[in-house]
Amino acid sequence: MKLSKRALYIASSPTLALNAEVTQLQAEGQSVINLTSGQLDFPTPTHIKKAGVKAIEDNITRYTPTAGILELREAVAKKLSKVNHVPTIPSQVVVGVGSKQLLYHAFQVLCNPGDEVILAIPTWTTYVEQIKLAGAKPKLIQLKPPFVLTAEKIKSVLSKKTKVILINSPANPTGAVIPKSELKKIAQLAVKNSLMVVTDEIYENFCFRKLSVFIASLGKQIAKQTITINGVSKAYAMTGWRVGYAVGPSEVIQKMISIQSQTTSNTSSISQMAALKALTGSQRSVKMAKERLLKRRDYLIKELSKISDLKLVEPEGAFYLFVSIKRLLGEKYKTSEEWCQALLKKESLAVVPGEAFLAPGYFRLSFAASMAELKTAVKKLRKFIEKYEN
Ligand code: PLP
């Protein structure tokens, strides 16, 4: 069978694959501590679930407008205007099947074959694959700890082919947050060179020490050049409901809606009603999640810092620790992939190897897990490293 070139070069999501492997082990009866997951360990808050149930009972079970139910687009526009300080009207909003789908549509609308999209590694590899699917070229910037993308670094890889700068702050997998002063410089650079910015702000609610800053809020011109991507998955423990949104200049958003009208149509009407409740209802659960995550983060930093062979960078946001194991690689395990496989096999502890983020020599540990699980994970890690040194 002759498949398309596109089909031949697409790599599937390594984190989802690993998660599937762990789920399979668990189904076979193994008790595995799974710290690979990119989602909160709490259920969707009750008031949001009830809104979903009510939508079914009220027969809101038909197609909605492709761009999303107007009330939801209005709620997103209000949230952007009030919380993110990005003045937005509903026609600048599209609601889709998770932020992942909207990122895909954004690259489809913005990029021509041969265009370059600048992004930093370590990175969530979905970006790389989606950029390639749009026929464009990912222009990668290799960051060193503390993994903060700067305007200076972006400048060093600018070319005539550059079309888009991609930002993800707080970042997956490093938890790095770009400070306001640096975002301003990136905005100036984008405006000066007439570049579009795609900013993935899915972890905005989990920014621990500082307040999140949104690049589109930094001026009228940068707002016209920015597509803001976000959704309800991470903040409201709603990964399975599949609701994301994109906000930007109407011209771009209208084209994203056209693509959506020919691919998925609207995302689930029921999920949209639940997302509306998430955005307009009580925000207590988000505050609680952040407090719990911060406690878990601080616990892990304290405990893992005692293991001298591991090197950590304190994440400022999101819910991941990105840990260097370079000192531990060599004869026994040559790559972080082998190291993580051995950790899973010997200690039943699953973390994601850095290769999945184009950053070999590291692993990513999600602290969106219970304190009890994290305590066991620390013990297992310590045991694995001690044993292996002998
Ligand atoms: N953006 C980043 C950086 C992520 O880590 C993820 C999920 O892991 C997503 C987007 C996708 O989220 P959604 O569930 O909205 O598609």
Side-chain angles (χ1 to χ4, degrees):
M1 195 191 296
K2 271 201 163 174
L3 299 180
S4 70
K5 282 189 191 151
R6 199 178 305 114
L8 294 175
Y9 67 61
I10 182 79
S12 61
S13 161
T15 24
L16 291 185
L18 196 66
N19 234 308
E21 188 183 332
V22 174
T23 311
Q24 176 67 25
L25 288 174
Q26 286 170 330
E28 286 164 10
Q30 260 204 53
S31 129
V32 180
I33 303 274
N34 184 6
L35 304 184
T36 66
S37 194
Q39 56 190 342
L40 289 181
D41 56 313
F42 325 124
T44 304
T46 307
H47 66 290
I48 300 175
K49 286 195 286 197
K50 279 189 177 159
V53 171
K54 185 167 184 306
I56 297 175
E57 285 169 354
D58 290 349
N59 295 315
I60 305 179
T61 51
R62 296 178 176 263
Y63 291 128
T64 74
T66 303
I69 293 170
L70 181 59
E71 245 186 304
L72 177 56
R73 293 171 84 196
E74 282 170 349
V76 171
K78 196 165 160 197
K79 183 242 175 210
L80 259 288
S81 306
K82 293 233 158 114
V83 180
N84 305 137
H85 310 293
V86 181
T88 305
I89 53 171
S91 63
Q92 289 178 279
V93 178
V94 52
V95 174
V97 188
S99 62
K100 200 181 236 186
Q101 185 205 21
L102 293 161
L103 279 162
Y104 177 79
H105 290 170
F107 294 126
Q108 291 291 323
V109 167
L110 297 176
C111 298
N112 276 318
D115 287 345
E116 290 179 354
V117 178
I118 296 177
L119 73 155
I121 48 176
T123 185
W124 187 51
T125 46
T126 290
Y127 301 132
V128 175
E129 297 305 320
Q130 292 193 349
I131 292 163
K132 289 198 279 184
L133 282 170
K137 189 176 162 209
K139 191 82 186 173
L140 304 172
I141 298 175
Q142 179 78 58
L143 295 180
K144 290 196 189 112
F147 305 117
V148 179
L149 179 62
T150 63
E152 205 49 45
K153 292 231 162 69
I154 295 172
K155 219 170 173 181
S156 72
V157 297
L158 273 186
S159 82
K160 283 194 182 120
K161 294 179 185 162
T162 308
K163 185 75 187 284
V164 178
I165 300 170
L166 174 68
I167 291 174
N168 172 220
S169 173
N172 175 10
T174 62
V177 172
I178 305 173
K180 186 174 183 180
S181 54
E182 202 55 55
L183 271 184
K184 274 188 181 164
K185 289 184 201 161
I186 296 174
Q188 280 163 4
L189 190 72
V191 169
K192 189 171 163 214
N193 293 281
S194 304
L195 302 174
M196 291 300 291
V197 172
V198 173
T199 170
D200 178 352
E201 297 174 357
I202 195 85
Y203 295 103
E204 74 163 299
N205 297 91
F206 305 130
C207 197
F208 297 118
R209 303 278 182 223
K210 303 173 200 147
L211 283 178
S212 284
V213 181
F214 312 96
I215 192 162
S217 72
L218 298 177
K220 276 191 183 149
Q221 189 50 41
I222 189 64
K224 285 186 192 158
Q225 292 173 219
T226 301
I227 314 296
T228 300
I229 307 281
N230 208 330
V232 295
S233 284
K234 310 287 176 177
Y236 301 96
M238 290 180 73
T239 46
W241 297 77
R242 309 310 300 133
V243 184
Y245 54 84
V247 172
S250 301
E251 193 190 343
V252 178
I253 296 298
Q254 290 314 312
K255 289 293 174 196
M256 287 173 68
I257 296 169
S258 299
I259 294 187
Q260 190 159 298
S261 74
Q262 302 295 6
T263 52
T264 53
S265 301
N266 57 277
T267 191
S268 150
S269 55
I270 300 150
S271 298
Q272 288 188 58
M273 293 311 286
L276 176 61
K277 192 68 182 179
L279 292 180
T280 56
S282 162
Q283 301 298 303
R284 246 190 63 216
S285 70
V286 184
K287 197 167 161 261
M288 261 174 50
K290 183 175 160 180
E291 281 164 11
R292 281 197 220 174
L293 288 173
L294 181 58
K295 271 196 197 133
R296 294 166 183 184
R297 181 199 88 136
D298 289 348
Y299 164 76
L300 281 175
I301 290 171
K302 187 168 134 248
E303 291 305 316
L304 296 186
S305 304
K306 294 179 194 161
I307 307 177
S308 61
D309 286 325
L310 301 179
K311 230 171 137 198
L312 320 180
V313 176
E314 285 194 17
E316 301 245 11
F319 39 67
Y320 309 108
L321 263 189
F322 203 55
V323 183
S324 169
I325 47 169
K326 286 182 183 165
R327 286 187 202 153
L328 289 164
L329 299 179
E331 282 284 290
K332 195 159 184 180
Y333 306 113
K334 291 189 180 58
T335 64
S336 32
E337 205 155 18
E338 283 179 19
W339 196 91
C340 292
Q341 271 298 336
L343 181 66
L344 178 58
K345 202 164 152 228
K346 298 194 174 184
E347 293 298 332
S348 300
L349 172 61
V351 294
V352 187
E355 282 84 349
F357 309 100
L358 306 184
Y362 291 84
F363 68 80
R364 188 194 78 175
L365 177 159
S366 164
F367 49 90
S370 72
M371 204 59 168
E373 282 178 303
L374 295 181
K375 283 185 179 166
T376 312
V378 168
K379 275 190 205 143
K380 284 175 178 284
L381 261 174
R382 210 177 275 140
K383 193 167 148 217
F384 179 67
I385 293 169
E386 274 165 15
K387 257 200 200 162
Y388 141 148
E389 278 180 340
N390 295 326

